[in-house]
Amino acid sequence: MKFKNLWNGVLEFFYPPRCLFCRKIVQPGRKCCEACEKALLPANWSARMIEPQTGKTFVCAAPDEYDGRLRKAMLDFKFHNTPQNARFFAQRMFSQLRQSSFLTDADFVACVPLSTDRLRQRGYNQSELIARELSALTGLPYYTVLEKHVENHEQHRLHKKDRRENVRGVYRIVPGAQIENRRILLVDDILTTGATLGECAAVLYAAGAKEVLCTAACRVPIGQESFPC
């Protein structure tokens, strides 16, 4: 651990961290400068949503709207090999969640999975990276409890009314996962219509979960559900 910290210090000396928006040098541990952070006004949106298959509800929260500089940062994170952006998004989610009962209610953190093919193409699951960072910030354990066993169409290419059907039946519980009577904080990157999180929540409830609490890094503004992501 000491060697790792020393090595990280050497790297930061020669390659100091930079703001992911304006590229100014920032202090170690920070992902954006104070000026850019002040300009990012959180929406701190939350709502109770209904899972139509079971009638059960789940609360979902997202600190930011998927727009402007945050949209660009998310696109870079997902498609341009910047996994280090995960901590920035997790920190903003943590700032919102610690103001609610989400963290005291949850037993562990999980994430929306990618298919094997998509994971191979991208090299990482962005939602998992955020979830693991959120786990470190909250002290809650992270468990992989869901897997995607069907390669479906990309959600952002579909009309709003087709998205729920597109995700039906594509997720399942990982063999051996302990779900029954657990409260699960489920993490995704972008909330659009809620179809993906709703389907994952339905699978978890069917496996005996006591409560599913959902959080996403960004939420697509109402009326912009076809926003590319």
Side-chain angles (χ1 to χ4, degrees):
M1 181 62 70
K2 290 183 178 179
F3 176 79
K4 182 178 180 181
N5 291 337
L6 177 62
W7 179 244
N8 287 339
V10 171
L11 288 177
E12 287 182 346
F13 179 80
F14 288 102
Y15 304 99
R18 293 181 177 273
C19 174
L20 60 85
F21 299 108
C22 69
R23 305 307 299 163
K24 290 181 180 178
I25 293 176
V26 296
Q27 295 179 351
R30 293 186 64 90
K31 295 300 178 183
C32 69
C33 68
E34 292 185 6
C36 287
E37 190 168 20
K38 288 180 180 179
L40 298 173
L41 299 177
N44 285 342
W45 173 91
S46 65
R48 182 170 291 276
M49 308 174 78
I50 299 176
E51 203 300 297
Q53 295 183 61
T54 63
K56 289 182 176 290
T57 63
F58 60 97
V59 177
C60 192
D64 294 303
E65 289 194 344
Y66 182 65
D67 204 355
R69 288 186 290 180
L70 282 165
R71 175 175 175 265
K72 182 182 183 303
M74 178 60 75
L75 290 173
D76 287 342
F77 177 40
K78 292 181 67 170
F79 301 117
H80 299 143
N81 195 32
T82 56
Q84 64 273 18
N85 286 11
R87 186 162 185 83
F88 166 78
F89 289 113
Q91 287 172 335
R92 292 185 68 82
M93 294 161 79
F94 178 63
S95 294
Q96 180 187 16
L97 295 178
R98 65 183 176 182
Q99 300 177 37
S100 69
S101 62
F102 269 48
L103 303 182
T104 55
D105 288 347
D107 293 312
F108 64 85
V109 182
C111 77
V112 173
L114 286 181
S115 67
T116 302
D117 288 344
R118 188 65 55 77
L119 184 60
R120 187 182 301 114
Q121 293 169 7
R122 187 167 298 168
Y124 54 87
N125 176 357
Q126 69 281 352
S127 296
E128 179 180 345
L129 294 185
I130 295 173
R132 288 185 180 277
E133 290 286 357
L134 196 55
S135 169
L137 288 168
T138 62
L140 294 169
Y142 169 84
Y143 297 129
T144 298
V145 297
L146 289 167
E147 61 182 5
K148 188 174 184 181
H149 65 108
V150 175
E151 186 67 66
N152 58 348
H153 297 292
E154 295 182 38
Q155 286 286 83
H156 68 87
R157 298 183 183 278
L158 300 176
H159 191 276
K160 179 179 178 179
K161 64 182 179 63
D162 298 321
R163 295 188 180 200
R164 191 167 297 280
E165 189 60 34
N166 185 53
V167 295
R168 196 176 303 282
V170 305
Y171 302 103
R172 65 187 178 191
I173 301 295
V174 171
Q178 302 297 312
I179 303 298
E180 193 168 359
N181 292 322
R182 309 299 296 278
R183 291 186 172 94
I184 302 164
L185 179 59
L186 183 65
V187 176
D188 202 2
D189 55 353
I190 304 169
L191 172 69
T192 307
T193 63
T196 299
L197 284 169
E199 179 66 15
C200 289
V203 172
L204 292 169
Y205 276 130
K210 186 171 185 178
E211 187 174 12
V212 179
L213 307 162
C214 297
T215 181
C218 300
R219 170 178 170 265
V220 174
I222 294 175
Q224 298 185 27
E225 288 85 357
S226 296
F227 219 151
C229 54

